Amino acid sequence: MKYVVAPLLLPYRAWAMDTSWRENFYFLGLCGAIMGIVSLLHWRELFLSRRDAQNLSYLPISSLSIFLAKSLSLLGFVGLFSFSMAIFSSPLFGLGRAKVYGNSLWFFLKFSFAHGASVFALNLFVFLSVLSLSGFFTLMLGKNSSRFAVYFQSGLLIFFLSVLGIMDRLAAGLSLEGVREGRFLKIPLLWFTGVYETISGINPKAFHRPFFLAITSLVFLFAIFIAEYWIFYALQIKGKSAGDYKAKEKKEAFSGILRVFFPRPLQRAVYQFVKNVFASSPRHRLLFFAYVSVPVGLFSVKIARLLYHRSFSHIFLFQFMHLFFSW
Amino acid sequence: MIELKAEGLVKNYGPVKALRGVSFTAREGEIVGLLGPNGAGKTTTMRILASLLKPSEGRVLLNGREIWEDIYSYRNSIGYVPENAELYPHMSGYEYLVFVGRLRGMGQESKTRAKELLYLLGLGEKMHLPISSYSKGMKQKVLISSALLHNPQILLLDEPLSGLDSFTVLVMKALLKLLSREGKILLYASHILEVVEKICSRVIIINRGLILADEGVARLKELRHHESLEGVFKELVVEENPYRVAEEILGVLKGGET
C-alpha cells in the first residue's frame, strides 16, 4: 500500500525509510505554510478585538474566563486543523517506520503519534507566531491596526507561499550529520522534526537540541500571547482612546507628506479615490494584497532557486496552483 | 433606597482631560439625563459607570460601596446600551441575546425572554438572520433588548434612540417612564435636547468634562429663567451664536455659486 499511497502524499521523491525524518520535515513544511496562510486569513479574529471588549467587558464574567475561553477555542482550532492534516499521514508514517524498526502495533501507534504530535506542535508554533504578531499590531495601532497590518500580512503571505515552493530543495539539503553538528538549527521546521524523532525514539541524541528549541519556542510564544493579552486588557480598562488622538496627529502629518507628492487638489482626490477603492474594508485589502502576493511569491521562489543554481520545480508549480485555486 | 454615586471622576487620555471631577448621585425612580455637546464627556462617564473604564481619579459607589469591590454583582445589576456597539456579525439577534443571557447566568429563561423582547421590538421575523444583515436601527433594538434582558436595577443608556424608527422611539419613551416607576435608576446620555426634556426627571449638563448644572428639568428652567431646556443649554454651553454661524454657512454657499 505504501508504494501506492506514499508517492501521492510525497510526490517529489520515492519513499525512503532511512530518511523518514526528512519526509516528516517536508510534510511539516507544507503543513506550516498552509496553517500560516489560514491563520493570516483569520488575522482579525485571532487576538481579542475591540468588539470582544465592547461585548464582553461589562458582563459579569471574569477576565480570566474570557482569556481561558479564547485560549481554548484557539487551541481547539489548531487541534482540529492538525487532526485533519495528520489523520491520513500519521498512519502512513507509522506504518512505514514500524516496518523498519519493529513490526508491531505498539511501534505503529508510537510512530503515528510522533508524527501527529509533530504536526500539532508545528501548527501551534505557526499559529502562535501569527497570533503574537496580530496582538502586537492590535496593541501598537489600536483600531487602526487592520489598516496597516495588511501590508505585513501580505509580506507573510509571500513568505508562506515561498516556503511551499522551496520545501523540496530545503528537505533535500538536510543531512543527519548536519543535524548532529547543529548546522540547521536556524530552521524552525527542523525543531519540530526533532519532536517527531524524539517521541519516536529513533534519533533522540541528534535531535535533542531541535526538540528542546521546539518546546522552548512554544512556551515562549505562549508567554508572549499571555503578556499581550493582559496588556490589551489593561489598556482597555484604562481607556485606549489616547491612541486615537495620536493617530489623528499621525494622519495630519501624513496629509502633509501627501501634499508634497500630489501638490494639486485633483491629484490628491484621485489618490484618495483609488486608495479608498482598494482599502474599503479589511477583506478588500487582504484580497488585493493576496493577488499582489502571488506573483511576488512566485518571483521570490524563482530567485531563491536561481541562488541554488537549480531549475524551477514542476512539482512546486503543481502544488502551488492546486493550493491557490482550491483556496 | 438604591443609590448610584459618582465621586470626583477624572479621566485623562494622555494630555486630553476628558473628565475633570464629575460628581453626582442617581437614586431609584430617577431618569437622569446627561446632556452635553460632542466631546463633553458623556460617553466617558457612561463607560466608567458601566465599568468598562477605570477613572484616573475618583470612584463610583453603589449603595455606598465601591463598584470594583464586587464588580460581578454590580455588572449583574446594570444594563448598558453603548453609543457605538460592534455586535458579533455572524450571530443572529436571537443568538446574541441568548449568548448574553447565558453569560449573565440566566439559563433557559434567556431564550424565552429574548424571543419575547425581539417580537415586541419588531424583530420577530428577522431574529434568526445574521446581525451583519441588520440595519443600524435593528442593531440598536438588539442592544436595547440585551440591556433589558436580565431586568437590571440600573440602566445606562448612551444615545439609545439613535437609528430607531419613530414607533420604537415612542415605545422606548413610554418604557423608560414605566421602568422609572418600577424604581429603577436610569441614566440617559444624549445631545438631543427635546428628548431629554421630555423623558428625564433631572438633567446634568456637562461640557469639557465639567458639570455645569445638575437640577430637575422644571427647576433648572425656573432658575435660569428659560421656557425650554434649549434656552438653558444655549446659556450654559453654547459659546458662539448659532444664528451667526448659520448665516456664515449660507454665505459660503452663496459665495460658492458660479
Side-chain angles (χ1 to χ4, degrees), chain A residues 50-63 236-239 241-242 245, chain B residues 11 16 50-54 68 72 75-76 84-89 96 99 103-104:
Chain A
R50 281 165 65 90
R51 180 176 282 140
D52 290 317
Q54 281 191 357
N55 283 287
L56 303 173
S57 299
Y58 65 91
L59 294 173
I61 39 174
S62 67
S63 45
Q236 281 295 323
I237 208 78
K238 280 182 183 167
S241 307
Y245 295 107
Chain B
K11 184 69 198 172
V16 180
S51 75
L52 285 171
L53 275 181
K54 273 190 174 173
W68 286 96
Y72 304 126
R75 283 175 176 167
N76 241 339
N84 296 310
E86 293 181 55
L87 299 165
Y88 291 113
Y96 180 78
F99 169 70
L103 289 178
R104 287 195 178 277

mmCIF file of all heavy atoms in Angstrom, chain A residues 50-63 236-239 241-242 245, chain B residues 11 16 50-54 68 72 75-76 84-89 96 99 103-104:
data_model
loop_
_atom_site.group_PDB
_atom_site.id
_atom_site.type_symbol
_atom_site.label_atom_id
_atom_site.label_comp_id
_atom_site.label_asym_id
_atom_site.label_seq_id
_atom_site.Cartn_x
_atom_site.Cartn_y
_atom_site.Cartn_z
ATOM 1 N N ARG A 50 -11.555 45.000 19.781
ATOM 2 C CA ARG A 50 -12.413 45.994 20.451
ATOM 3 C C ARG A 50 -13.831 45.445 20.568
ATOM 4 O O ARG A 50 -14.548 45.734 21.518
ATOM 5 C CB ARG A 50 -12.440 47.284 19.630
ATOM 6 C CG ARG A 50 -11.217 48.145 19.805
ATOM 7 C CD ARG A 50 -11.157 49.171 18.714
ATOM 8 N NE ARG A 50 -12.250 50.119 18.778
ATOM 9 C CZ ARG A 50 -12.193 51.262 19.462
ATOM 10 N NH1 ARG A 50 -11.112 51.576 20.112
ATOM 11 N NH2 ARG A 50 -13.207 52.089 19.481
ATOM 12 N N ARG A 51 -14.217 44.641 19.560
ATOM 13 C CA ARG A 51 -15.559 44.068 19.577
ATOM 14 C C ARG A 51 -15.733 43.164 20.805
ATOM 15 O O ARG A 51 -16.732 43.242 21.497
ATOM 16 C CB ARG A 51 -15.780 43.284 18.292
ATOM 17 C CG ARG A 51 -17.149 42.659 18.209
ATOM 18 C CD ARG A 51 -17.364 41.983 16.881
ATOM 19 N NE ARG A 51 -17.663 42.958 15.849
ATOM 20 C CZ ARG A 51 -17.202 42.902 14.620
ATOM 21 N NH1 ARG A 51 -16.409 41.930 14.266
ATOM 22 N NH2 ARG A 51 -17.534 43.816 13.727
ATOM 23 N N ASP A 52 -14.737 42.325 21.057
ATOM 24 C CA ASP A 52 -14.792 41.464 22.244
ATOM 25 C C ASP A 52 -14.884 42.319 23.504
ATOM 26 O O ASP A 52 -15.669 42.040 24.403
ATOM 27 C CB ASP A 52 -13.544 40.570 22.327
ATOM 28 C CG ASP A 52 -13.540 39.509 21.253
ATOM 29 O OD1 ASP A 52 -14.597 38.913 21.015
ATOM 30 O OD2 ASP A 52 -12.489 39.293 20.650
ATOM 31 N N ALA A 53 -14.039 43.347 23.534
ATOM 32 C CA ALA A 53 -14.008 44.208 24.717
ATOM 33 C C ALA A 53 -15.372 44.866 24.935
ATOM 34 O O ALA A 53 -15.878 44.922 26.058
ATOM 35 C CB ALA A 53 -12.927 45.267 24.565
ATOM 36 N N GLN A 54 -15.976 45.332 23.850
ATOM 37 C CA GLN A 54 -17.266 46.030 23.980
ATOM 38 C C GLN A 54 -18.391 45.081 24.374
ATOM 39 O O GLN A 54 -19.290 45.454 25.115
ATOM 40 C CB GLN A 54 -17.630 46.697 22.660
ATOM 41 C CG GLN A 54 -16.888 47.988 22.439
ATOM 42 C CD GLN A 54 -17.442 48.761 21.263
ATOM 43 O OE1 GLN A 54 -18.342 48.308 20.583
ATOM 44 N NE2 GLN A 54 -16.889 49.928 21.027
ATOM 45 N N ASN A 55 -18.338 43.869 23.837
ATOM 46 C CA ASN A 55 -19.447 42.952 24.082
ATOM 47 C C ASN A 55 -19.324 42.184 25.383
ATOM 48 O O ASN A 55 -20.333 41.741 25.939
ATOM 49 C CB ASN A 55 -19.571 41.964 22.929
ATOM 50 C CG ASN A 55 -20.229 42.595 21.723
ATOM 51 O OD1 ASN A 55 -21.430 42.835 21.720
ATOM 52 N ND2 ASN A 55 -19.440 42.895 20.715
ATOM 53 N N LEU A 56 -18.113 41.987 25.840
ATOM 54 C CA LEU A 56 -17.936 41.096 26.986
ATOM 55 C C LEU A 56 -17.540 41.813 28.275
ATOM 56 O O LEU A 56 -17.807 41.316 29.365
ATOM 57 C CB LEU A 56 -16.869 40.032 26.665
ATOM 58 C CG LEU A 56 -17.136 39.170 25.426
ATOM 59 C CD1 LEU A 56 -15.945 38.296 25.126
ATOM 60 C CD2 LEU A 56 -18.378 38.312 25.622
ATOM 61 N N SER A 57 -16.901 42.981 28.150
ATOM 62 C CA SER A 57 -16.286 43.587 29.333
ATOM 63 C C SER A 57 -17.276 44.021 30.414
ATOM 64 O O SER A 57 -16.914 44.092 31.571
ATOM 65 C CB SER A 57 -15.437 44.786 28.934
ATOM 66 O OG SER A 57 -14.426 44.363 28.090
ATOM 67 N N TYR A 58 -18.497 44.363 30.050
ATOM 68 C CA TYR A 58 -19.436 44.823 31.074
ATOM 69 C C TYR A 58 -20.329 43.686 31.593
ATOM 70 O O TYR A 58 -21.250 43.921 32.385
ATOM 71 C CB TYR A 58 -20.280 46.008 30.573
ATOM 72 C CG TYR A 58 -21.209 45.665 29.438
ATOM 73 C CD1 TYR A 58 -22.513 45.254 29.684
ATOM 74 C CD2 TYR A 58 -20.791 45.762 28.128
ATOM 75 C CE1 TYR A 58 -23.377 44.933 28.646
ATOM 76 C CE2 TYR A 58 -21.624 45.446 27.079
ATOM 77 C CZ TYR A 58 -22.909 45.035 27.347
ATOM 78 O OH TYR A 58 -23.750 44.718 26.324
ATOM 79 N N LEU A 59 -20.054 42.481 31.137
ATOM 80 C CA LEU A 59 -20.835 41.333 31.623
ATOM 81 C C LEU A 59 -20.184 40.761 32.892
ATOM 82 O O LEU A 59 -18.981 40.922 33.094
ATOM 83 C CB LEU A 59 -20.903 40.253 30.532
ATOM 84 C CG LEU A 59 -21.670 40.656 29.279
ATOM 85 C CD1 LEU A 59 -21.526 39.601 28.200
ATOM 86 C CD2 LEU A 59 -23.142 40.869 29.579
ATOM 87 N N PRO A 60 -20.991 40.100 33.725
ATOM 88 C CA PRO A 60 -20.417 39.606 34.993
ATOM 89 C C PRO A 60 -19.577 38.344 34.816
ATOM 90 O O PRO A 60 -19.885 37.301 35.385
ATOM 91 C CB PRO A 60 -21.666 39.344 35.843
ATOM 92 C CG PRO A 60 -22.745 39.070 34.861
ATOM 93 C CD PRO A 60 -22.428 39.844 33.634
ATOM 94 N N ILE A 61 -18.558 38.440 33.997
ATOM 95 C CA ILE A 61 -17.645 37.297 33.834
ATOM 96 C C ILE A 61 -16.220 37.811 34.009
ATOM 97 O O ILE A 61 -15.912 38.941 33.639
ATOM 98 C CB ILE A 61 -17.778 36.622 32.447
ATOM 99 C CG1 ILE A 61 -17.976 37.673 31.352
ATOM 100 C CG2 ILE A 61 -18.880 35.607 32.421
ATOM 101 C CD1 ILE A 61 -17.968 37.107 29.956
ATOM 102 N N SER A 62 -15.386 36.946 34.578
ATOM 103 C CA SER A 62 -14.032 37.408 34.891
ATOM 104 C C SER A 62 -13.190 37.461 33.622
ATOM 105 O O SER A 62 -13.453 36.751 32.650
ATOM 106 C CB SER A 62 -13.380 36.472 35.904
ATOM 107 O OG SER A 62 -13.159 35.221 35.308
ATOM 108 N N SER A 63 -12.174 38.308 33.676
ATOM 109 C CA SER A 63 -11.266 38.408 32.526
ATOM 110 C C SER A 63 -10.531 37.088 32.338
ATOM 111 O O SER A 63 -10.156 36.734 31.222
ATOM 112 C CB SER A 63 -10.281 39.557 32.728
ATOM 113 O OG SER A 63 -9.771 39.514 34.027
ATOM 114 N N GLN A 236 -7.450 48.504 27.721
ATOM 115 C CA GLN A 236 -8.888 48.691 27.512
ATOM 116 C C GLN A 236 -9.535 49.317 28.734
ATOM 117 O O GLN A 236 -10.332 50.233 28.640
ATOM 118 C CB GLN A 236 -9.565 47.346 27.226
ATOM 119 C CG GLN A 236 -9.389 46.852 25.812
ATOM 120 C CD GLN A 236 -10.060 47.736 24.784
ATOM 121 O OE1 GLN A 236 -11.131 48.264 25.029
ATOM 122 N NE2 GLN A 236 -9.434 47.918 23.642
ATOM 123 N N ILE A 237 -9.190 48.788 29.885
ATOM 124 C CA ILE A 237 -9.846 49.230 31.117
ATOM 125 C C ILE A 237 -9.353 50.625 31.520
ATOM 126 O O ILE A 237 -10.051 51.376 32.166
ATOM 127 C CB ILE A 237 -9.638 48.184 32.251
ATOM 128 C CG1 ILE A 237 -10.786 48.219 33.235
ATOM 129 C CG2 ILE A 237 -8.319 48.317 32.955
ATOM 130 C CD1 ILE A 237 -12.017 47.520 32.761
ATOM 131 N N LYS A 238 -8.132 50.978 31.061
ATOM 132 C CA LYS A 238 -7.640 52.325 31.363
ATOM 133 C C LYS A 238 -8.118 53.334 30.321
ATOM 134 O O LYS A 238 -7.946 54.526 30.492
ATOM 135 C CB LYS A 238 -6.107 52.328 31.398
ATOM 136 C CG LYS A 238 -5.566 51.794 32.712
ATOM 137 C CD LYS A 238 -4.072 51.865 32.717
ATOM 138 C CE LYS A 238 -3.530 51.249 34.000
ATOM 139 N NZ LYS A 238 -2.107 51.020 33.912
ATOM 140 N N GLY A 239 -8.650 52.814 29.225
ATOM 141 C CA GLY A 239 -9.145 53.720 28.172
ATOM 142 C C GLY A 239 -8.101 53.874 27.102
ATOM 143 O O GLY A 239 -7.094 54.538 27.298
ATOM 144 N N SER A 241 -8.454 55.254 24.214
ATOM 145 C CA SER A 241 -8.731 56.308 23.235
ATOM 146 C C SER A 241 -7.547 57.231 23.011
ATOM 147 O O SER A 241 -7.513 57.944 22.037
ATOM 148 C CB SER A 241 -9.934 57.117 23.682
ATOM 149 O OG SER A 241 -10.992 56.245 23.927
ATOM 150 N N ALA A 242 -6.589 57.201 23.968
ATOM 151 C CA ALA A 242 -5.405 58.037 23.796
ATOM 152 C C ALA A 242 -4.748 57.751 22.453
ATOM 153 O O ALA A 242 -4.257 58.656 21.793
ATOM 154 C CB ALA A 242 -4.421 57.782 24.918
ATOM 155 N N TYR A 245 -6.036 59.807 19.581
ATOM 156 C CA TYR A 245 -5.527 61.174 19.438
ATOM 157 C C TYR A 245 -4.188 61.160 18.711
ATOM 158 O O TYR A 245 -3.906 61.972 17.865
ATOM 159 C CB TYR A 245 -5.366 61.842 20.813
ATOM 160 C CG TYR A 245 -6.675 62.043 21.507
ATOM 161 C CD1 TYR A 245 -7.029 61.264 22.599
ATOM 162 C CD2 TYR A 245 -7.582 62.998 21.057
ATOM 163 C CE1 TYR A 245 -8.245 61.434 23.230
ATOM 164 C CE2 TYR A 245 -8.802 63.171 21.677
ATOM 165 C CZ TYR A 245 -9.128 62.386 22.763
ATOM 166 O OH TYR A 245 -10.326 62.544 23.376
ATOM 167 N N LYS B 11 -10.867 61.726 34.227
ATOM 168 C CA LYS B 11 -10.336 60.778 33.247
ATOM 169 C C LYS B 11 -9.435 61.508 32.273
ATOM 170 O O LYS B 11 -9.860 62.449 31.609
ATOM 171 C CB LYS B 11 -11.497 60.099 32.492
ATOM 172 C CG LYS B 11 -11.038 59.038 31.527
ATOM 173 C CD LYS B 11 -10.481 57.831 32.236
ATOM 174 C CE LYS B 11 -9.636 56.978 31.328
ATOM 175 N NZ LYS B 11 -8.941 55.909 32.050
ATOM 176 N N VAL B 16 -5.114 64.755 27.019
ATOM 177 C CA VAL B 16 -6.506 65.214 26.928
ATOM 178 C C VAL B 16 -7.261 64.892 28.219
ATOM 179 O O VAL B 16 -7.270 63.746 28.669
ATOM 180 C CB VAL B 16 -7.220 64.541 25.725
ATOM 181 C CG1 VAL B 16 -8.665 65.001 25.613
ATOM 182 C CG2 VAL B 16 -6.469 64.826 24.446
ATOM 183 N N ALA B 50 -20.349 52.011 33.528
ATOM 184 C CA ALA B 50 -20.595 50.636 33.058
ATOM 185 C C ALA B 50 -19.431 49.713 33.400
ATOM 186 O O ALA B 50 -19.443 48.552 33.005
ATOM 187 C CB ALA B 50 -20.837 50.651 31.557
ATOM 188 N N SER B 51 -18.427 50.235 34.069
ATOM 189 C CA SER B 51 -17.210 49.501 34.473
ATOM 190 C C SER B 51 -16.368 49.061 33.282
ATOM 191 O O SER B 51 -15.581 48.129 33.393
ATOM 192 C CB SER B 51 -17.529 48.302 35.377
ATOM 193 O OG SER B 51 -18.070 47.241 34.625
ATOM 194 N N LEU B 52 -16.526 49.760 32.172
ATOM 195 C CA LEU B 52 -15.678 49.464 31.013
ATOM 196 C C LEU B 52 -14.359 50.208 31.093
ATOM 197 O O LEU B 52 -13.383 49.831 30.457
ATOM 198 C CB LEU B 52 -16.389 49.884 29.723
ATOM 199 C CG LEU B 52 -17.517 48.985 29.247
ATOM 200 C CD1 LEU B 52 -18.262 49.634 28.110
ATOM 201 C CD2 LEU B 52 -16.978 47.648 28.801
ATOM 202 N N LEU B 53 -14.369 51.287 31.858
ATOM 203 C CA LEU B 53 -13.172 52.110 32.037
ATOM 204 C C LEU B 53 -12.948 52.335 33.517
ATOM 205 O O LEU B 53 -13.923 52.414 34.284
ATOM 206 C CB LEU B 53 -13.389 53.488 31.416
ATOM 207 C CG LEU B 53 -13.144 53.741 29.948
ATOM 208 C CD1 LEU B 53 -13.424 55.202 29.653
ATOM 209 C CD2 LEU B 53 -11.726 53.397 29.581
ATOM 210 N N LYS B 54 -11.686 52.473 33.892
ATOM 211 C CA LYS B 54 -11.406 52.893 35.269
ATOM 212 C C LYS B 54 -11.044 54.370 35.242
ATOM 213 O O LYS B 54 -10.277 54.793 34.368
ATOM 214 C CB LYS B 54 -10.253 52.079 35.841
ATOM 215 C CG LYS B 54 -10.709 50.767 36.466
ATOM 216 C CD LYS B 54 -9.604 50.109 37.232
ATOM 217 C CE LYS B 54 -10.146 48.885 37.956
ATOM 218 N NZ LYS B 54 -9.089 48.097 38.583
ATOM 219 N N TRP B 68 -15.956 48.350 42.243
ATOM 220 C CA TRP B 68 -14.885 47.388 41.931
ATOM 221 C C TRP B 68 -14.645 46.396 43.071
ATOM 222 O O TRP B 68 -13.919 45.430 42.903
ATOM 223 C CB TRP B 68 -13.593 48.115 41.555
ATOM 224 C CG TRP B 68 -13.720 48.703 40.179
ATOM 225 C CD1 TRP B 68 -14.077 49.970 39.859
ATOM 226 C CD2 TRP B 68 -13.555 48.025 38.929
ATOM 227 N NE1 TRP B 68 -14.138 50.137 38.498
ATOM 228 C CE2 TRP B 68 -13.810 48.956 37.903
ATOM 229 C CE3 TRP B 68 -13.210 46.720 38.572
ATOM 230 C CZ2 TRP B 68 -13.745 48.632 36.543
ATOM 231 C CZ3 TRP B 68 -13.121 46.399 37.219
ATOM 232 C CH2 TRP B 68 -13.391 47.345 36.233
ATOM 233 N N TYR B 72 -18.663 41.825 39.858
ATOM 234 C CA TYR B 72 -19.580 40.924 39.142
ATOM 235 C C TYR B 72 -21.027 41.149 39.581
ATOM 236 O O TYR B 72 -21.944 41.114 38.759
ATOM 237 C CB TYR B 72 -19.166 39.461 39.313
ATOM 238 C CG TYR B 72 -17.743 39.237 38.868
ATOM 239 C CD1 TYR B 72 -16.804 38.649 39.703
ATOM 240 C CD2 TYR B 72 -17.330 39.679 37.611
ATOM 241 C CE1 TYR B 72 -15.492 38.498 39.291
ATOM 242 C CE2 TYR B 72 -16.025 39.533 37.201
ATOM 243 C CZ TYR B 72 -15.109 38.944 38.041
ATOM 244 O OH TYR B 72 -13.810 38.804 37.628
ATOM 245 N N ARG B 75 -22.055 44.370 37.928
ATOM 246 C CA ARG B 75 -22.315 44.195 36.491
ATOM 247 C C ARG B 75 -23.628 43.454 36.247
ATOM 248 O O ARG B 75 -24.261 43.633 35.221
ATOM 249 C CB ARG B 75 -21.153 43.449 35.826
ATOM 250 C CG ARG B 75 -19.953 44.344 35.592
ATOM 251 C CD ARG B 75 -18.788 43.591 35.050
ATOM 252 N NE ARG B 75 -17.683 44.492 34.744
ATOM 253 C CZ ARG B 75 -16.446 44.098 34.479
ATOM 254 N NH1 ARG B 75 -16.151 42.819 34.486
ATOM 255 N NH2 ARG B 75 -15.504 44.970 34.213
ATOM 256 N N ASN B 76 -24.007 42.618 37.197
ATOM 257 C CA ASN B 76 -25.292 41.921 37.075
ATOM 258 C C ASN B 76 -26.468 42.859 37.298
ATOM 259 O O ASN B 76 -27.580 42.573 36.869
ATOM 260 C CB ASN B 76 -25.356 40.767 38.078
ATOM 261 C CG ASN B 76 -25.506 39.452 37.350
ATOM 262 O OD1 ASN B 76 -25.938 39.420 36.196
ATOM 263 N ND2 ASN B 76 -25.144 38.374 38.008
ATOM 264 N N ASN B 84 -21.729 53.355 20.412
ATOM 265 C CA ASN B 84 -21.365 52.667 19.160
ATOM 266 C C ASN B 84 -21.006 51.236 19.505
ATOM 267 O O ASN B 84 -19.937 50.997 20.040
ATOM 268 C CB ASN B 84 -20.145 53.327 18.501
ATOM 269 C CG ASN B 84 -20.441 54.739 18.085
ATOM 270 O OD1 ASN B 84 -21.434 54.999 17.426
ATOM 271 N ND2 ASN B 84 -19.592 55.655 18.494
ATOM 272 N N ALA B 85 -21.890 50.333 19.217
ATOM 273 C CA ALA B 85 -21.587 48.945 19.555
ATOM 274 C C ALA B 85 -21.227 48.170 18.311
ATOM 275 O O ALA B 85 -21.808 48.378 17.255
ATOM 276 C CB ALA B 85 -22.775 48.305 20.217
ATOM 277 N N GLU B 86 -20.248 47.322 18.469
ATOM 278 C CA GLU B 86 -19.912 46.411 17.377
ATOM 279 C C GLU B 86 -20.376 45.032 17.826
ATOM 280 O O GLU B 86 -19.695 44.371 18.589
ATOM 281 C CB GLU B 86 -18.408 46.407 17.133
ATOM 282 C CG GLU B 86 -17.862 47.696 16.601
ATOM 283 C CD GLU B 86 -16.367 47.621 16.362
ATOM 284 O OE1 GLU B 86 -15.916 46.723 15.641
ATOM 285 O OE2 GLU B 86 -15.655 48.452 16.929
ATOM 286 N N LEU B 87 -21.550 44.644 17.375
ATOM 287 C CA LEU B 87 -22.065 43.312 17.737
ATOM 288 C C LEU B 87 -21.346 42.257 16.898
ATOM 289 O O LEU B 87 -20.760 42.573 15.876
ATOM 290 C CB LEU B 87 -23.566 43.253 17.471
ATOM 291 C CG LEU B 87 -24.418 44.242 18.268
ATOM 292 C CD1 LEU B 87 -25.805 44.347 17.670
ATOM 293 C CD2 LEU B 87 -24.513 43.817 19.711
ATOM 294 N N TYR B 88 -21.434 40.998 17.343
ATOM 295 C CA TYR B 88 -20.808 39.932 16.562
ATOM 296 C C TYR B 88 -21.625 39.700 15.287
ATOM 297 O O TYR B 88 -22.778 39.252 15.365
ATOM 298 C CB TYR B 88 -20.734 38.649 17.380
ATOM 299 C CG TYR B 88 -19.758 38.739 18.524
ATOM 300 C CD1 TYR B 88 -20.178 38.707 19.843
ATOM 301 C CD2 TYR B 88 -18.398 38.858 18.272
ATOM 302 C CE1 TYR B 88 -19.274 38.800 20.891
ATOM 303 C CE2 TYR B 88 -17.488 38.956 19.311
ATOM 304 C CZ TYR B 88 -17.933 38.923 20.614
ATOM 305 O OH TYR B 88 -17.034 39.020 21.640
ATOM 306 N N PRO B 89 -21.058 39.997 14.121
ATOM 307 C CA PRO B 89 -21.871 39.988 12.899
ATOM 308 C C PRO B 89 -22.354 38.606 12.467
ATOM 309 O O PRO B 89 -23.359 38.489 11.779
ATOM 310 C CB PRO B 89 -20.929 40.581 11.842
ATOM 311 C CG PRO B 89 -19.564 40.392 12.390
ATOM 312 C CD PRO B 89 -19.671 40.381 13.869
ATOM 313 N N TYR B 96 -27.443 36.223 19.776
ATOM 314 C CA TYR B 96 -26.676 37.183 20.571
ATOM 315 C C TYR B 96 -27.307 37.373 21.949
ATOM 316 O O TYR B 96 -26.621 37.370 22.970
ATOM 317 C CB TYR B 96 -26.580 38.530 19.832
ATOM 318 C CG TYR B 96 -25.792 39.562 20.613
ATOM 319 C CD1 TYR B 96 -24.413 39.522 20.631
ATOM 320 C CD2 TYR B 96 -26.441 40.547 21.353
ATOM 321 C CE1 TYR B 96 -23.684 40.448 21.364
ATOM 322 C CE2 TYR B 96 -25.722 41.476 22.088
ATOM 323 C CZ TYR B 96 -24.334 41.421 22.084
ATOM 324 O OH TYR B 96 -23.627 42.334 22.815
ATOM 325 N N PHE B 99 -26.804 34.334 24.054
ATOM 326 C CA PHE B 99 -25.388 34.324 24.450
ATOM 327 C C PHE B 99 -25.161 35.249 25.651
ATOM 328 O O PHE B 99 -24.579 34.846 26.670
ATOM 329 C CB PHE B 99 -24.567 34.778 23.235
ATOM 330 C CG PHE B 99 -23.123 35.080 23.488
ATOM 331 C CD1 PHE B 99 -22.224 34.071 23.785
ATOM 332 C CD2 PHE B 99 -22.641 36.381 23.393
ATOM 333 C CE1 PHE B 99 -20.871 34.359 23.991
ATOM 334 C CE2 PHE B 99 -21.310 36.672 23.599
ATOM 335 C CZ PHE B 99 -20.420 35.669 23.897
ATOM 336 N N LEU B 103 -24.306 34.221 29.604
ATOM 337 C CA LEU B 103 -23.146 34.767 30.322
ATOM 338 C C LEU B 103 -23.581 35.503 31.584
ATOM 339 O O LEU B 103 -22.808 35.659 32.519
ATOM 340 C CB LEU B 103 -22.328 35.696 29.423
ATOM 341 C CG LEU B 103 -21.558 35.003 28.304
ATOM 342 C CD1 LEU B 103 -20.829 36.010 27.434
ATOM 343 C CD2 LEU B 103 -20.555 34.001 28.864
ATOM 344 N N ARG B 104 -24.832 35.935 31.602
ATOM 345 C CA ARG B 104 -25.360 36.563 32.815
ATOM 346 C C ARG B 104 -25.969 35.529 33.755
ATOM 347 O O ARG B 104 -26.596 35.872 34.753
ATOM 348 C CB ARG B 104 -26.415 37.617 32.454
ATOM 349 C CG ARG B 104 -25.827 38.878 31.841
ATOM 350 C CD ARG B 104 -26.836 39.989 31.846
ATOM 351 N NE ARG B 104 -26.302 41.227 31.309
ATOM 352 C CZ ARG B 104 -25.580 42.099 32.002
ATOM 353 N NH1 ARG B 104 -25.280 41.865 33.259
ATOM 354 N NH2 ARG B 104 -25.148 43.209 31.436
#
